Amino acid sequence: MSLETVAANRSFGGWHKRFRHHSTTLGCDMVFAIYLPPQAEHGPVPVLYWLSGLTCTDENFMQKAGAQRMAAELGIAIVAPDTSPRGEGVPDDPEGSYDFGHGAGFYVNATHAPFDKHYRMYDYVVSELPTLVEASFPVSDARAISGHSMGGHGALVIALKNPGRYRSVSAFAPIANPTDCPWGRKAFTGYLGEDETAWREWDTCALIAEAPERLPLLVDQGEADPFLEDQLRPQRLAQACERANHPLTLRMQPGYDHSYYFIASFIDEHLRHHAAALRR
């Protein structure tokens, strides 16, 4: 697959670059960003895949999280895909809402028309994008995954469904139980249809019970998050992990909300968490 350079910026001795490519999985052109630390000039480095939340693109995290300084220190590459397929011919929410369609792929493989042709972000993130990245850049197959909100949901689900593929996982304010919150129910109905039993394979709380790998989960959640009770429900995740004896570090952060101010405040700790696992 050919890569078209969209932008390149020097950052903390490394490079932040954006590329466009045609995705056969999604049936459209996609843009992703990669931060290559200075260590990548001397050999392959491990990769953290970052999944963003509703309405976001690759640019939100790369511009607002302030992750490049610590990534350069630790020698970790960061790859940030878009949150959904986009473009002419890619169906969108006919009502134009922010929580479905473009910018809201939910990291599932859609099975319900007309979204099943393009909305396969799970396959894109797990298979197509890493294959492209590992063939095109000086990175290794040592992978970690993290994300925020909808992307936190995606990171947790992807790690749980792919034992051995990721060495670590973390999340900021994840949608922990999407089968039982307004954002998740709307998205799953549109992408997966009305059969709610099919939704369970995309719900962290449902997957925890039968997870074949007990990969420790690191989750930060702001106590002042306006979506805490109705949409995110971290207590459901804590209960599921307790029942399954699955290792979870859930840190409730007083005064923090859902914004990138919150993410920037704790991103260094998450990067260190991933670096420790990626070095093993």
Side-chain angles (χ1 to χ4, degrees), residues 216-269:
L217 313 182
L218 171 61
V219 175
D220 273 303
Q221 172 63 62
E223 289 186 353
D225 192 320
F227 307 113
L228 178 61
E229 297 301 329
D230 291 340
Q231 303 283 10
L232 307 176
R233 299 180 174 175
Q235 73 280 3
R236 302 275 185 90
L237 176 61
Q239 292 163 1
C241 287
E242 184 176 6
R243 286 193 298 268
N245 196 29
H246 193 109
L248 167 68
T249 300
L250 173 60
R251 308 192 306 184
M252 301 299 297
Q253 303 292 359
Y256 286 90
D257 57 20
H258 200 69
S259 71
Y260 267 83
Y261 297 108
F262 163 54
I263 295 170
S265 299
F266 300 101
I267 191 62
D268 284 2
E269 296 174 37

Side-chain angles (χ1 to χ4, degrees), residues 5 72-73 92-93 130 141 178 196 205 234 262:
T5 301
E73 180 180 321
D92 197 5
D93 186 348
D141 61 359
E196 296 188 18
C205 289
F262 163 54

Side-chain angles (χ1 to χ4, degrees), residues 17 32 43 57-58 60 95 100 135 155-156 163 165 176 184 194 200 215 220 233 246 260:
K17 297 184 178 183
F32 70 92
T57 68
D58 63 284
N60 296 74
E95 298 179 1
F100 187 73
L156 295 175
R165 185 165 181 80
E194 299 285 349
R200 290 178 56 80
L215 196 64
D220 273 303
R233 299 180 174 175
H246 193 109
Y260 267 83

Side-chain angles (χ1 to χ4, degrees), residues 17-28:
K17 297 184 178 183
R18 299 183 75 214
F19 294 94
R20 181 179 291 108
H21 74 105
H22 183 76
S23 167
T24 55
T25 300
L26 304 177
C28 65

Side-chain angles (χ1 to χ4, degrees), residues 155-228:
L156 295 175
V157 165
I158 285 171
L160 290 167
K161 288 170 70 71
N162 293 275
R165 185 165 181 80
Y166 302 93
R167 298 192 184 179
S168 55
V169 59
S170 73
F172 289 82
I175 303 172
N177 190 196
T179 59
D180 193 25
C181 77
W183 280 340
R185 292 187 64 82
K186 178 178 180 178
F188 287 2
T189 300
Y191 297 138
L192 306 173
E194 299 285 349
D195 180 7
E196 296 188 18
T197 59
W199 299 0
R200 290 178 56 80
E201 68 170 300
W202 306 106
D203 188 302
T204 298
C205 289
L207 292 171
I208 284 286
E210 299 178 0
E213 179 185 35
R214 295 302 178 190
L215 196 64
L217 313 182
L218 171 61
V219 175
D220 273 303
Q221 172 63 62
E223 289 186 353
D225 192 320
F227 307 113
L228 178 61

